[in-house]
Amino acid sequence: MGPKGSSPDDSSGTLAPAPRFGRMDGIVDGRVGDVDAARAAVRKANESGYARLSLEVDGGRFSILPDAARIPAGQITDARRAAFFEGLCDFVAACDGPPESTLRCTEVFDLVVRETLFLTDSGERSLRAWTRERPVTEQDHSWNADDRVIRTALPKRLRVILAALFIVATGLLAWTGGWIDRAFSADAAHVRTDTAVFGDLLSIDVNGSWGDYVVSLRRGRSYPLTLDDMERLRQTAGEPARRVAVDAVAGGDAIWLRLEDKDGRGLAASRIDLRSLVESKSAALRTLLPGRRDAARIRLALSAGEVTR
């Protein structure tokens, strides 16, 4: 069995003190492995008190679905989340090979919504929780008991069939839309940064967000503060590319951020304007680069260069 991953928690500090309610939907579907272990895993998840799941065994397939969409506020705690996630991990381990999962939990707070996808790692019987936060909308607060009535009215077997079809559709959309890459993108902490010809004129910082990379640029230690600084940097540039970089920084021009693999091939590029850094010493410029499984480096560049995909 591979690593179980990490369960969602309230460590971000951006959530309201207490949730309004939660919502669970989707399915986990896989080949039958250890039936007894699968049943024990579902019992474990249900005993967490977070959400309840139903296990369906049909021929050579397992499926688990939420019994009800809505999760009352009182059931949403860190301890219950963790116990529920442990049960899901045990279920994945009981499958014969990696299952498919579209299971998703949405927790609605006063100002934000926390969305968690439970994803299986390709080629492994392991699970990870992939979480983002977004602003709350009116639609989020409009979910009510009608949803539970509709779900209860559908036979479980029909729900399994519909959910399986949903897995296929979701997989196709994920593949064509780049979500597969985002879901399994290289961790931002493992993606190197390279200021290249810009040296310490600029500083760069990278954080992960929902599978993508949020890149922040600020003034570096050698950022020119006076006309004399600019002239000195130009005179000591040493190579044409460095002089162009100095002029771009001093003039607040546009430069490029390149996302590259370990061999330097371009995976994505994003243009960023430096004018705000000229106007304010505390300014921070932020841009988004798409997550990629083979991402290895984010490099500052004078041009977009070649991007392979």
Side-chain angles (χ1 to χ4, degrees):
M1 173 182 173
K4 285 188 176 180
S6 57
S7 61
D9 56 39
D10 275 342
S11 61
S12 65
T14 62
L15 296 177
R20 294 288 191 90
F21 58 86
R23 176 184 174 91
M24 183 75 67
D25 55 48
I27 185 176
V28 182
D29 180 77
R31 293 191 303 272
V32 170
D34 188 332
V35 177
D36 292 336
R39 295 188 190 280
V42 172
R43 283 197 301 271
K44 182 177 181 179
N46 289 341
E47 288 170 359
S48 71
Y50 181 73
R52 289 195 61 81
L53 302 171
S54 290
L55 173 65
E56 300 286 336
V57 181
D58 184 9
R61 306 291 299 184
F62 282 137
S63 296
I64 53 174
L65 301 96
D67 271 355
R70 199 175 182 87
I71 305 173
Q75 295 177 195
I76 303 175
T77 66
D78 286 346
R80 289 181 175 182
R81 281 194 198 95
F84 180 77
F85 184 73
E86 285 292 320
L88 289 178
C89 289
D90 289 349
F91 175 82
V92 170
C95 292
D96 180 15
E100 300 288 338
S101 174
T102 60
L103 196 66
R104 179 181 66 171
C105 177
T106 305
E107 296 174 349
V108 180
F109 293 76
D110 285 332
L111 300 178
V112 297
V113 171
R114 164 174 281 194
E115 297 176 327
T116 300
L117 295 177
F118 298 97
L119 301 172
T120 53
D121 285 332
S122 178
E124 298 185 15
R125 290 182 301 162
S126 60
L127 189 73
R128 63 173 174 169
W130 191 46
T131 300
R132 75 164 181 175
E133 293 172 14
R134 61 171 174 80
V136 72
T137 66
E138 291 184 7
Q139 183 180 4
D140 293 320
H141 285 302
S142 69
W143 291 332
N144 54 39
D146 292 340
D147 181 76
R148 295 202 302 274
V149 172
I150 293 171
R151 290 173 64 89
T152 303
L154 288 174
K156 285 185 178 179
R157 186 174 180 81
L158 179 57
R159 286 166 54 194
V160 170
I161 294 172
L162 292 175
L165 292 174
F166 180 70
I167 284 178
V168 174
T170 300
L172 290 173
L173 289 173
W175 182 263
T176 58
W179 288 103
I180 296 294
D181 256 333
R182 284 171 169 80
F184 299 103
S185 61
D187 192 303
H190 299 147
V191 177
R192 296 187 297 109
T193 58
D194 183 2
T195 55
V197 294
F198 293 89
D200 55 4
L201 294 172
L202 300 170
S203 68
I204 182 172
D205 184 57
V206 181
N207 291 287
S209 175
W210 200 225
D212 292 325
Y213 306 117
V214 179
V215 185
S216 300
L217 283 183
R218 293 179 173 83
R219 290 184 178 185
R221 290 176 309 195
S222 298
Y223 189 90
L225 302 177
T226 66
L227 294 176
D228 288 341
D229 289 341
M230 292 167 53
E231 186 58 29
R232 174 178 53 79
L233 288 167
R234 294 184 82 253
Q235 293 298 326
T236 59
E239 59 175 319
R242 171 66 174 181
R243 178 168 290 191
V244 174
V246 170
D247 290 342
V249 170
D253 298 335
I255 64 172
W256 288 84
L257 288 162
R258 278 178 53 86
L259 181 67
E260 300 176 340
D261 65 13
K262 61 182 179 62
D263 297 318
R265 289 188 292 264
L267 304 176
S270 179
R271 186 175 184 270
I272 188 166
D273 196 305
L274 302 179
R275 184 60 57 96
S276 295
L277 297 183
V278 177
E279 297 176 338
S280 172
K281 64 180 181 181
S282 60
L285 307 177
R286 291 182 177 85
T287 192
L288 197 70
L289 286 170
R292 291 289 187 269
R293 285 174 289 182
D294 46 357
R297 177 175 67 170
I298 294 176
R299 180 171 66 88
L300 299 187
L302 295 170
S303 65
E306 183 179 356
V307 175
T308 58
R309 61 185 179 92

